[in-house]
């Protein structure tokens, strides 16, 4: 495992870094959780590979791009399938979750109030139900309680994060029993449960 001397650099938020933190928690990996604020970030931005976060530092070397980092962590922590076809299944779900994540971020960070209201309405009325149906269908097809295979994978963490990212806006899974079951399954993991109980509250 290459996760013995790692540092995760991200903002003081959940956002694109939380899937990585959740996997670290579930796997019992100790890491340096570096969180930047609007005050500290400008000075650090030029030091990052592509001027953005998250960044994972492994043995002193910096690596960027959230999905690439999450996939690496998943492979090292045992949350990634061994076969190529199951890896394909996981990767497609990750990209699906990222698509919804992007729509959620777009609505959340919109400054114009009228446009924000319009984006949120479309998100809540059209996009969220569509994606929750997608996730529910995948869980039904799997039949194991997990999105792919019969153990936790990167796909499960991505689905969990995106449907719980903005409570009250995205996270109502009551009409999707299999998805709701997955949320409960992840939150009942002993290490994740401890992490969530102590997690700092942030808007997103």
């Amino acid at each position: 495992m290459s996760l013995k001397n790692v540092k995760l650099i991200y903002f003081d938020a959940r956002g694109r870094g939380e899937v990585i933190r959740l996997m670290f928690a579930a796997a019992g990996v100790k890491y340096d959780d570096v969180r930047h604020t609007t005050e500290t970030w400008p000075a650090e931005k030029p030091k990052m590979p592509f001027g953005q976060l998250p960044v994972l530092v492994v043995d002193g070397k910096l690596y960027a791009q959230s999905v690439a980092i999450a996939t690496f962590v998943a492979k090292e922590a045992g949350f990634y399938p061994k076969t190529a076809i199951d890896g394909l299944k996981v990767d497609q779900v990750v990209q699906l979750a990222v698509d919804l994540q992007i729509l959620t971020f777009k609505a959340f960070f919109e400054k114009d109030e009228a446009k924000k209201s319009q984006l949120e309405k479309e998100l809540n009325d059209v996009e969220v139900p569509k994606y929750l149906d997608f996730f529910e269908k995948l869980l039904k097809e799997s039949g194991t309680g997990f999105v792919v295979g019969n153990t936790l994978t990167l796909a499960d963490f991505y689905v969990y994060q995106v449907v719980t990212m903005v409570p009250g806006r995205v996270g109502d899974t009551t009409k999707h029993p299999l998805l709701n079951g997955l949320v409960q399954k992840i939150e009942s993991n002993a290490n994740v449960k401890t992490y969530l109980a102590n997690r700092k509250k942030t808007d997103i």
Side-chain angles (χ1 to χ4, degrees), residues 5-51:
N5 182 27
V6 294
K7 178 191 297 184
L8 178 64
I9 306 173
Y10 192 57
F11 299 109
D12 191 16
R14 285 168 286 147
R16 290 182 172 87
E18 194 64 10
V19 164
I20 303 160
R21 294 189 189 119
L22 285 165
M23 286 191 292
F24 279 151
V29 172
K30 293 183 179 179
Y31 66 104
D32 192 2
D33 187 13
V34 179
R35 296 177 178 233
H36 283 299
T37 63
T38 52
E39 289 76 26
T40 63
W41 172 235
E44 296 300 315
K45 185 175 181 178
K47 303 174 188 177
M48 299 300 109
F50 310 123

Side-chain angles (χ1 to χ4, degrees), residues 11 13 17 34 40-43 57 59-60 68 71 81 87 95 108 126 129 145-146 158 165 170 173 182 185 187 189:
F11 299 109
V34 179
T40 63
W41 172 235
V57 185
D59 296 327
T71 302
Q95 292 300 327
F108 186 85
V126 180
F146 301 98
Y158 258 97
M165 186 163 55
V170 179
T173 59
L182 177 64
K185 196 185 299 284
E187 291 182 345
N189 174 284

Side-chain angles (χ1 to χ4, degrees), residues 38-195:
T38 52
E39 289 76 26
T40 63
W41 172 235
E44 296 300 315
K45 185 175 181 178
K47 303 174 188 177
M48 299 300 109
F50 310 123
Q52 59 189 27
L53 297 177
V55 161
L56 186 71
V57 185
V58 183
D59 296 327
K61 293 185 178 180
L62 280 62
Y63 302 91
Q65 292 295 332
S66 58
V67 174
I69 295 169
T71 302
F72 166 76
V73 170
K75 289 177 178 178
E76 292 296 307
F79 297 129
Y80 198 85
K82 290 181 171 56
T83 69
I85 196 67
D86 281 346
L88 175 60
K89 290 177 183 178
V90 164
D91 292 346
Q92 73 167 354
V93 177
V94 168
Q95 292 300 327
L96 186 66
V98 168
D99 287 346
L100 177 55
Q101 191 180 62
I102 290 169
L103 292 171
T104 305
F105 287 145
K106 187 177 180 181
F108 186 85
F109 289 109
E110 176 58 50
K111 296 275 194 274
D112 183 279
E113 286 302 321
K115 191 173 181 182
K116 183 183 182 75
S117 179
Q118 180 184 348
L119 287 172
E120 287 188 339
K121 178 172 174 49
E122 186 173 343
L123 179 69
N124 293 327
D125 294 351
V126 180
E127 299 297 344
V128 167
K130 178 177 75 175
Y131 280 89
L132 294 188
D133 284 348
F134 286 153
F135 298 143
E136 188 78 3
K137 180 183 177 184
L138 288 164
L139 284 161
K140 185 176 181 181
E141 289 173 353
S142 170
T144 64
F146 301 98
V147 180
V148 178
N150 54 15
T151 59
L152 275 174
T153 68
L154 178 62
D156 298 303
F157 286 105
Y158 258 97
V159 169
Y160 171 81
Q161 171 56 15
V162 76
V163 302
T164 60
M165 186 163 55
V166 187
R169 300 190 190 190
V170 179
D172 182 10
T173 59
T174 53
K175 295 179 181 177
H176 298 79
L178 298 178
L179 183 54
N180 196 49
L182 177 64
V183 169
Q184 292 175 6
K185 196 185 299 284
I186 290 178
E187 291 182 345
S188 65
N189 174 284
N191 289 342
V192 172
K193 191 174 184 178
T194 299
Y195 169 72

